[in-house]
Amino acid sequence: MIISYKFLSTFFKEKLPKVEDLMDKITLHAFEVEDPKEYKDDFTFEVKVTPDRGGDALSHFGIARECAAILNLDLNNFKYDLLEDKTQDVNNFLSVEIKNDGCIRYSARVLTGVQVKESPEWLKEKLNKCGISSINNVVDATNYVMLELGQPLHAYDYEKLSENKKIIIEKAKKGEKFITLSNQEVVLDENILTIRDEKDALVIAGIKGGKKTEIDETTKAIVLEAANFEGAMISKASKKIKIRTDSSFRFEHNIDPELTVVALDRVASLIQEMTGAKILKGIVDAYNKKEKPRKISLDLHYVDRFLGIEVPLKEVKRILRNLGFEILKEEKNLLQLLIPTFRKDITIEENLVEEIGRIYGYEKIKPVLPLSDERIMRNEDVDFINQLELTFKELCFTEVYNYPFLGEEYKNAFNLSKLIEVQNPITVDSEYLVPSLIPNLIKNLKLNLRFEKNIKIYEIGNVFKKNGSFSERRVVSGVVSSGDYLELKGCLEELFKTFNINNIEYISNSKESFLSQKKSAIIKVNKKEIGVIGYLSGYVLESLDLNIDPVLFEIDFESLRGEILKDANFVHISNHPIATRDISVIVPDMVFVQEVIDVIKSSESKLIKQIDLLDTYINSQLKTLTFRIYLQSSKKGLENKEINEIQDKIINKLTQNPEWEIKK
Amino acid sequence: MRESKQLLFFYFKDLLFSSIWVKIINMTIENLKNEALNKLDKVLNLEGLAIIEKEYLGKKGKIRELSSSMKGLSSEERKDLGVQLNELSNLLEEKILFKKKNFKLSEIRKKEEGDFLDITVPGKKIERGHIHPLSSTKKELEDIFALMGFSVIEGPEVEDEWHNFDALNFPLNHPAREMQDTFFIKQKERESLSQKEKFVLRTHTSNIQTRYMENHEPPIKIVAPGRVFRCEATDDRHEVCFYQIEGLYVDKNVSVANLKAVLERFLQEYFRDSKVKIRLRPSYFPFVEPGFEVDMSCLVCGQKGCSVCSGEGWLEILGGGMVHPNVFKNCGLNPKEVTGFAFGVSVDRLAMMKSRVDNIRWFHSGDLRFLKQF
């Protein structure tokens, strides 16, 4: 809301501080202030009134009340001189009926002998500075009073009302068409409140006036309306018809119903002053449930304890009075307070503590570090993430962060289902939550291949799936552009070693997924499935037009963490010499190396220290695997005889399979 | 000379008083010393040095020779002279060693004169991995808060509306609810579901606070880091998803003064500058009362006013306040018995400030040209 410095000054006898100082004060004690502008004889600035204070602070008067408390100044008493035509009772000319609770109060005056014309310069200027364009003197006067007091007002051409001059406030009919003052056609429904005569809707309540009763140069008599509506209802309606006005914006925040009459008198006197119009005697006022001001008792000890500073009683009382709170009773450390109806946001004691704290000044509170003796707990998940990040860094992987969204294109390419959908995605390619981190990692790969060839990236993040309910779990995934399965597997093996994860198996993956069926594996630890490793299916590669064949992995975070052995057991280091033997075995080319290794291990596992695959040679559906077997005892040096016996045993085991053959 | 001494020895040894003999040997030692030092002074290279070494210290050298000429003396006299001879021998050894080292050094220097290493050639490109800047920042923040006694707690990203809004005192249809543009999860007949069945992508990590308070008794002292989502147009400073770290401290007598101290200390630690100051401005968030916008003193200009702080000397850095009694009630705590403070700060923002990153969207770009800078 734009505030004019000069306009604001009219509420005070005393001079206000310089505009920069004033802006600072408002910022530190009430609302954020920005965008200062300088005019020939004025300044303006924008005050960002917080949503809880929209009911009382969205006006120059509202801000003046804040300034009075901040600066400890007295506000001018404003009284409006208004000359009523005592011979004509307004009730003979207008009646009002509220048919819906959404309208809390409806007050109106009738003026005759109005001359509609251009506004005087001072008025036009004031409105312009505050961002409202001038229309004519009557409409301008209503807008001016809204800026001044915060009460939205509306003026109707009296003669354009239907015959009985009766105003009815009720919900619109479903599908009812309405032409606004700005010639926009709006379709209303039964949730939208309207101000009507006996025939038509005249105004969308609290939001926008209609064409039918528009004020124009021929207008002679007017109805001035100051009403009060329930905020939530206005807010809903405004969203529904997508019209937001200075009026609806204020009503949304629940303004004070007591304000209608004050504002009505103000605007009537202003129009009278400008046009010499006659004001009919009295106000038509429908006010069904008058609000009673709330009472709250305030414990002064609590104020001090809560803020962490002692605020002098004199200051507390001064602040509360300046803000318009009435002190009803004062007993020991308790103040009994009457909360004015314009402060709807004050409902509990803590609200009052805030009022005292902010006006007194938060800068006066000295920082005090709290002393406490609660136990700090280590978060094992967060710890593990930190460790993983360090490990991946050592393995030359770069960490990426992706949005957890993907669109139709990737959903189809990766053949994904049971996805959680976002109702209001920000772009078309972000309507689903990711069920795997792989698709977006592939997207990263495509982007980065423009700049470099050898890419190793990973992400730790949540994946989402709809299985009846919504499930969310953390995974660790990575992609290597080289397509070197052994490189990636080697990295994972180092990772497992880092965390003392043993008993790892790679099992053929026959599941239907975006992975290649023949060129991927399920990773198991201690017989439990923890993740997958391998290549993408040809379908994905083709759908995404990928001209490389990356290799990737995805591991469930919780499962992985569950397999960590907390403390690594030190393995005794033997100083006895290590003996090596090389064995070459010829097997059919579809045999997994692990099968052969398992057979070797089964023969004499105790003394076998390590088995390395030295070489693989494939020739017409047969492959020759050359292993180097390291033998060592923890107790003694092995003799040649013993070593040969073990070698024979291994060869014996290997040749039990009729398809396998030892290369001599 | 040598012959003459020997002659003297042969003919007069029994006749002369041994004390005279001792005097003569004494003189001889003195002569030997002067002679040797003189030669060492003049020696020019390692070969010359070897000759001197042999002449005096060798098996058949002059010192040995003199030593064997003392056989006829009393043991006491021998001991005395022996000490002198030993001293001489040590002195010469030391001098020779020193000379040797110098000759060697200058020899090597001469050889090295032709050496050349281009120290300006760029180093080899060594591959290493990189941790995402938000990960490192998040960890740094968690560590700082751990030092102040806050435990790290996590929570779900897909959250029900109760824990994301209602429990936090966001009334339905209240303008405050619109302050945070929310991503809603598509659900059948959503409107008919209860608040605990309707899901959103969490708009803040306050859901962790509500969940934690439901299950724990005060004192509660936690920080809640995590990814949050806002359904809004992105620009240099706004992202659809970003990281937050929120703090919550609930105990019997927690005050605004405590909040000030914790936040000030935290910023001083993070920016490694004990001069960092903060100020609280009144603000509104439904879950706190009073609510604050927290500004920190601008470190770029030392509060003199610069482009970073738009001349203000202060930078808006985080939001916080005293936990609203309704939040306590909603989470099963008695607001009459406890008070507390809560605050939240954007991890992205803090990372940007420290590394001078100019656009928040880099963090989720997946662009290695950016990520490999960290």
Side-chain angles (χ1 to χ4, degrees):
Chain A
M1 180 190 47
I2 299 168
I3 290 291
S4 142
Y5 181 76
K6 215 166 110 188
F7 198 164
L8 194 65
S9 302
T10 60
F11 291 92
F12 300 94
K13 272 195 202 70
E14 282 157 280
K15 224 169 120 52
L16 287 176
K18 278 200 307 201
V19 67
E20 304 85 53
D21 295 344
L22 183 68
M23 284 171 61
D24 262 359
K25 293 261 186 208
I26 298 175
T27 298
L28 282 179
H29 297 279
F31 308 112
E32 213 173 315
V33 175
E34 54 187 36
D35 202 19
K37 285 204 178 88
E38 198 177 338
Y39 289 85
K40 206 170 70 200
D41 59 345
D42 196 5
F43 302 93
T44 63
F45 47 83
E46 187 161 352
V47 177
K48 304 209 126 186
V49 174
T50 51
D52 58 324
R53 298 293 305 281
D56 74 289
L58 281 173
S59 67
H60 282 73
F61 178 53
I63 298 302
R65 197 156 42 207
E66 288 295 308
C67 293
I70 297 166
L71 305 164
N72 194 14
L73 296 176
D74 288 328
L75 279 176
N76 285 338
N77 258 333
F78 50 91
K79 190 96 178 77
Y80 306 115
D81 292 326
L82 139 136
L83 205 65
E84 283 184 329
D85 178 358
K86 302 284 181 200
T87 62
Q88 309 272 19
D89 187 339
V90 71
N91 288 301
N92 298 331
F93 292 84
L94 188 74
S95 64
V96 173
E97 185 184 359
I98 299 177
K99 286 189 171 173
N100 187 288
D101 286 347
C103 179
I104 295 159
R105 186 175 191 181
Y106 194 97
S107 315
R109 274 189 182 275
V110 177
L111 275 68
T112 59
V114 176
Q115 254 191 302
V116 179
K117 54 184 180 193
E118 213 184 315
S119 289
E121 275 312 310
W122 69 266
L123 179 55
K124 278 202 274 189
E125 197 194 308
K126 262 188 177 169
L127 289 180
N128 275 334
K129 275 192 289 204
C130 295
I132 293 178
S133 36
S134 169
I135 294 173
N136 58 48
N137 54 356
V138 172
V139 175
D140 289 359
T142 61
N143 281 331
Y144 176 77
V145 174
M146 175 180 72
L147 294 179
E148 186 176 43
L149 301 176
Q151 169 71 52
L153 298 152
H154 190 70
Y156 302 78
D157 186 325
Y158 180 77
E159 281 157 292
K160 291 177 186 165
L161 288 176
S162 68
E163 209 174 346
N164 289 328
K165 308 294 176 195
K166 181 174 181 186
I167 283 177
I168 304 157
I169 299 103
E170 69 178 326
K171 290 280 170 82
K173 296 174 200 101
K174 195 180 168 89
E176 186 175 357
K177 283 187 179 139
F178 180 83
I179 309 288
T180 69
L181 277 171
S182 26
N183 285 318
Q184 185 189 349
E185 189 183 280
V186 182
V187 181
L188 307 176
D189 66 33
E190 70 280 12
N191 292 316
I192 296 169
L193 195 66
T194 50
I195 318 291
R196 334 172 58 90
D197 59 17
E198 284 168 319
K199 283 190 181 143
D200 305 294
L202 309 175
V203 167
I204 305 171
I207 302 176
K208 189 87 187 171
K211 209 73 192 160
K212 180 176 170 182
T213 48
E214 186 180 10
I215 307 287
D216 57 39
E217 301 90 76
T218 65
T219 303
K220 293 279 172 301
I222 58 170
V223 177
L224 287 172
E225 162 203 294
N228 192 286
F229 305 101
E230 196 193 291
M233 202 193 64
I234 299 296
S235 158
K236 256 193 198 161
S238 152
K239 250 178 270 162
K240 182 112 199 191
I241 59 173
K242 297 194 174 77
I243 299 179
R244 206 164 188 216
T245 57
D246 284 322
S247 162
S248 72
F249 176 57
R250 285 176 171 78
F251 281 126
E252 275 170 23
H253 292 95
N254 292 316
I255 50 182
D256 180 17
E258 297 300 319
L259 197 57
T260 61
V261 179
V262 185
L264 210 50
D265 286 354
R266 171 64 171 150
V267 73
S269 81
L270 195 61
I271 292 171
Q272 186 170 53
E273 201 178 284
M274 287 191 295
T275 72
K278 262 206 283 188
I279 304 170
L280 304 198
K281 190 186 120 199
I283 293 177
V284 177
D285 194 11
Y287 191 7
N288 296 333
K289 280 180 258 161
K290 195 175 153 69
E291 254 180 80
K292 271 205 197 123
R294 203 178 283 116
K295 283 177 195 163
I296 299 177
S297 66
L298 177 69
D299 178 347
L300 294 166
H301 291 336
Y302 184 61
V303 176
D304 293 349
R305 247 181 25 229
F306 197 90
L307 294 174
I309 187 177
E310 262 181 58
V311 187
L313 178 62
K314 221 178 99 189
E315 270 298 282
V316 171
K317 286 173 27 185
R318 199 264 312 157
I319 291 164
L320 292 171
R321 283 205 189 97
N322 270 342
L323 287 171
F325 301 101
E326 193 185 326
I327 299 166
L328 297 173
K329 239 191 333 192
E330 190 186 337
E331 272 176 83
K332 281 188 202 158
N333 51 30
L334 279 186
L335 292 185
Q336 180 76 227
L337 293 161
L338 189 72
I339 313 302
T341 49
F342 57 81
R343 288 305 299 270
K344 290 210 168 47
D345 59 310
I346 306 288
T347 58
I348 52 174
E349 204 177 4
E350 285 76 9
N351 299 143
L352 291 167
V353 179
E354 164 162 47
E355 296 303 294
I356 295 162
R358 72 183 174 90
I359 301 291
Y360 185 61
Y362 294 136
E363 75 281 359
K364 296 201 180 84
I365 300 175
K366 296 263 173 324
V368 179
L369 265 186
L371 288 172
S372 52
D373 57 356
E374 66 294 305
R375 213 180 95 135
I376 309 172
M377 292 163 297
R378 172 142 76 166
N379 187 318
E380 297 288 354
D381 281 347
V382 173
D383 247 28
F384 186 40
I385 289 177
N386 292 333
Q387 305 274 358
L388 276 175
E389 281 164 350
L390 289 174
T391 309
F392 275 113
K393 183 176 171 170
E394 285 166 5
L395 297 171
C396 291
F397 277 80
T398 296
E399 185 180 26
V400 298
Y401 276 27
N402 280 308
Y403 300 130
F405 304 123
L406 56 83
E408 208 63 49
E409 185 197 351
Y410 273 68
K411 179 185 182 250
N412 290 334
F414 281 83
N415 199 14
L416 303 166
S417 61
K418 292 182 181 162
L419 304 189
I420 300 179
E421 260 180 272
V422 177
Q423 191 177 298
N424 51 336
I426 201 111
T427 56
V428 281
D429 60 353
S430 65
E431 43 199 315
Y432 303 103
L433 294 185
V434 292
S436 156
L437 300 182
I438 298 297
N440 281 329
L441 283 170
I442 297 296
K443 205 185 254 182
N444 298 145
L445 203 62
K446 282 183 83 170
L447 165 85
N448 286 297
L449 279 170
R450 303 201 324 248
F451 311 113
E452 52 188 294
K453 245 166 71 191
N454 208 352
I455 296 164
K456 285 164 85 175
I457 49 176
Y458 78 100
E459 184 176 6
I460 303 171
N462 286 345
V463 294
F464 308 86
K465 206 132 201 203
K466 194 162 68 182
N467 290 322
S469 65
F470 300 125
S471 79
E472 173 178 340
R473 67 188 176 97
R474 190 174 261 153
V475 299
V476 186
S477 311
V479 178
V480 173
S481 66
S482 70
D484 184 344
Y485 174 77
L486 295 183
E487 182 190 1
L488 182 61
K489 194 178 169 191
C491 288
L492 289 186
E493 277 162 359
E494 279 309 315
L495 183 126
F496 293 143
K497 261 189 243 165
T498 305
F499 297 103
N500 298 309
I501 296 171
N502 302 309
N503 265 329
I504 303 139
E505 289 171 276
Y506 296 82
I507 312 289
S508 303
N509 180 18
S510 52
K511 282 187 198 163
E512 191 67 45
S513 79
F514 53 78
L515 290 173
S516 155
Q517 269 188 2
K518 296 285 178 191
K519 284 161 55 189
S520 69
I522 291 168
I523 307 170
K524 283 191 174 178
V525 175
N526 292 322
K527 305 283 175 207
K528 268 179 274 169
E529 218 177 291
I530 63 153
V532 290
I533 177 171
Y535 296 88
L536 289 170
S537 81
Y539 182 76
V540 180
L541 296 179
E542 208 174 296
S543 305
L544 295 179
D545 206 10
L546 267 180
N547 45 18
I548 56 163
D549 192 4
V551 59
L552 51 94
F553 72 90
E554 184 153 276
I555 294 175
D556 184 71
F557 180 86
E558 274 303 311
S559 311
L560 185 65
R561 194 167 79 71
E563 297 305 328
I564 301 174
L565 284 183
K566 280 277 161 333
D567 302 299
N569 280 330
F570 166 71
V571 179
H572 175 74
I573 296 165
S574 167
N575 280 325
H576 297 292
I578 299 175
T580 61
R581 284 293 182 273
D582 292 354
I583 295 176
S584 294
V585 51
I586 303 165
V587 298
D589 65 350
M590 299 287 249
V591 169
F592 289 126
V593 170
Q594 189 63 43
E595 287 179 49
V596 184
I597 291 174
D598 287 346
V599 172
I600 297 173
K601 273 188 183 163
S602 72
S603 36
E604 183 60 73
S605 55
K606 257 195 192 155
L607 296 176
I608 296 177
K609 186 97 180 126
Q610 193 179 325
I611 302 167
D612 283 356
L613 177 62
L614 286 189
D615 186 47
T616 308
Y617 172 71
I618 302 176
N619 187 18
S620 62
Q621 295 177 351
L622 286 176
K623 64 180 167 191
T624 309
L625 303 170
T626 304
F627 295 99
R628 175 158 296 167
I629 297 161
Y630 296 80
L631 301 162
Q632 191 189 30
S633 158
S634 59
K635 295 187 189 97
K636 53 169 191 162
L638 292 174
E639 283 169 34
N640 252 338
K641 205 179 133 215
E642 278 173 287
I643 298 166
N644 290 339
E645 270 171 25
I646 295 166
Q647 187 180 6
D648 290 346
K649 227 171 173 181
I650 293 170
I651 291 171
N652 193 15
K653 281 267 182 189
L654 287 171
T655 47
Q656 276 174 18
N657 189 325
E659 291 193 319
W660 297 4
E661 193 190 321
I662 298 297
K663 193 177 168 191
K664 300 269 161 61
Chain B
M1 169 110 173
R2 197 164 132 199
E3 280 76 31
S4 65
K5 270 186 205 159
Q6 269 174 355
L7 279 177
L8 273 173
F9 177 71
F10 278 113
Y11 292 103
F12 298 100
K13 69 174 176 179
D14 293 324
L15 304 175
L16 289 171
F17 288 107
S18 53
S19 65
I20 296 172
W21 191 229
V22 168
K23 269 182 192 160
I24 291 171
I25 294 182
N26 256 336
M27 274 168 58
T28 317
I29 290 175
E30 195 55 30
N31 287 338
L32 263 183
K33 184 177 165 187
N34 291 337
E35 183 188 300
L37 289 178
N38 202 16
K39 280 189 184 166
L40 277 175
D41 257 358
K42 288 180 184 143
V43 72
L44 293 172
N45 49 37
L46 279 170
E47 289 78 43
L49 202 63
I51 292 168
I52 297 172
E53 189 173 12
K54 201 177 166 196
E55 184 182 350
Y56 293 91
L57 299 172
K59 269 184 193 156
K60 290 179 183 165
K62 286 185 177 166
I63 289 177
R64 279 284 176 89
E65 196 179 303
L66 197 57
S67 167
S68 50
S69 72
M70 297 186 314
K71 275 172 195 154
L73 297 176
S74 71
S75 70
E76 205 155 297
E77 288 163 340
R78 271 213 315 265
K79 201 176 159 196
D80 242 30
L81 290 170
V83 168
Q84 282 186 53
L85 268 182
N86 230 343
E87 272 171 10
L88 175 62
S89 149
N90 285 346
L91 175 77
L92 292 182
E93 251 172 47
E94 197 181 301
K95 293 262 176 197
I96 288 167
L97 204 66
F98 177 75
K99 282 268 171 183
K100 235 188 216 169
K101 203 176 152 193
N102 276 342
F103 286 138
K104 271 220 172 108
L105 257 177
S106 51
E107 216 172 77
I108 289 169
R109 283 226 179 96
K110 220 180 214 166
K111 251 197 250 162
E112 282 179 343
E113 250 163 47
D115 285 356
F116 177 69
L117 169 68
D118 185 348
I119 46 167
T120 64
V121 173
K124 264 190 204 161
K125 297 269 176 287
I126 305 295
E127 264 306 302
R128 68 171 171 103
H130 302 265
I131 294 177
H132 196 282
L134 290 182
S135 293
S136 340
T137 307
K138 193 168 83 77
K139 177 164 189 327
E140 193 178 348
L141 299 175
E142 288 162 1
D143 289 349
I144 292 170
F145 282 113
L147 290 175
M148 290 196 275
F150 288 81
S151 300
V152 180
I153 306 294
E154 294 187 298
E157 294 178 343
V158 172
E159 183 56 283
D160 61 60
E161 291 206 19
W162 168 260
H163 286 99
N164 192 72
F165 287 126
D166 300 72
L168 288 159
N169 198 35
F170 280 85
L172 268 173
N173 298 318
H174 192 273
R177 209 137 167 157
E178 290 162 34
M179 284 165 77
Q180 301 178 335
D181 299 295
T182 311
F183 282 114
F184 298 95
I185 299 297
K186 204 182 237 178
Q187 287 172 283
K188 270 185 207 145
E189 291 162 40
R190 191 170 211 284
E191 290 313 307
S192 65
L193 297 171
S194 76
Q195 291 302 96
K196 284 192 181 171
E197 294 168 321
K198 283 192 248 181
F199 286 90
V200 297
L201 292 178
R202 69 175 173 204
T203 55
H204 42 213
T205 57
S206 312
N207 66 323
I208 300 172
Q209 302 189 14
T210 51
R211 285 179 175 275
Y212 195 82
M213 278 192 277
E214 282 173 353
N215 297 311
H216 294 82
E217 287 298 318
I220 289 170
K221 206 170 176 187
I222 60 167
V223 281
R227 180 161 65 174
V228 302
F229 304 86
R230 300 285 168 88
C231 175
E232 59 183 10
T234 65
D235 60 30
D236 292 0
R237 295 183 58 185
H238 295 91
E239 248 296 16
V240 172
C241 75
F242 60 95
Y243 281 75
Q244 243 189 0
I245 189 161
E246 292 196 347
L248 173 71
Y249 179 34
V250 181
D251 205 343
K252 282 202 184 73
N253 269 314
V254 179
S255 70
V256 176
N258 296 152
L259 170 65
K260 265 185 118 169
V262 166
L263 291 182
E264 199 163 82
R265 181 64 66 86
F266 146 63
L267 290 170
Q268 287 172 352
E269 284 296 319
Y270 180 71
F271 290 103
R272 290 196 165 82
D273 186 341
S274 58
K275 289 191 289 294
V276 174
K277 280 182 295 180
I278 61 160
R279 69 171 191 189
L280 306 183
R281 282 186 287 112
S283 187
Y284 172 72
F285 310 102
F287 35 90
V288 284
E289 182 68 7
F292 311 113
E293 238 16 289
V294 182
D295 296 338
M296 64 175 274
S297 48
C298 180
L299 300 177
V300 178
C301 61
Q303 293 204 285
K304 287 188 194 82
C306 64
S307 62
V308 175
C309 60
S310 358
E312 299 282 328
W314 294 97
L315 284 170
E316 191 173 313
I317 185 86
L318 46 80
M322 302 299 288
V323 180
H324 197 289
N326 288 350
V327 176
F328 284 140
K329 273 184 231 161
N330 291 335
C331 298
L333 297 178
N334 185 350
K336 292 235 154 57
E337 287 168 6
V338 289
T339 54
F341 67 67
F343 60 85
V345 60
S346 152
V347 177
D348 300 44
R349 177 88 200 288
L350 289 173
M352 286 170 82
M353 285 174 78
K354 225 180 207 178
S355 311
R356 308 265 158 102
V357 175
D358 60 354
N359 191 326
I360 193 171
R361 285 173 292 194
W362 279 117
F363 292 128
H364 281 81
S365 65
D367 193 326
L368 292 174
R369 293 171 302 171
F370 171 74
L371 296 169
K372 286 192 169 178
Q373 291 183 29
F374 295 90

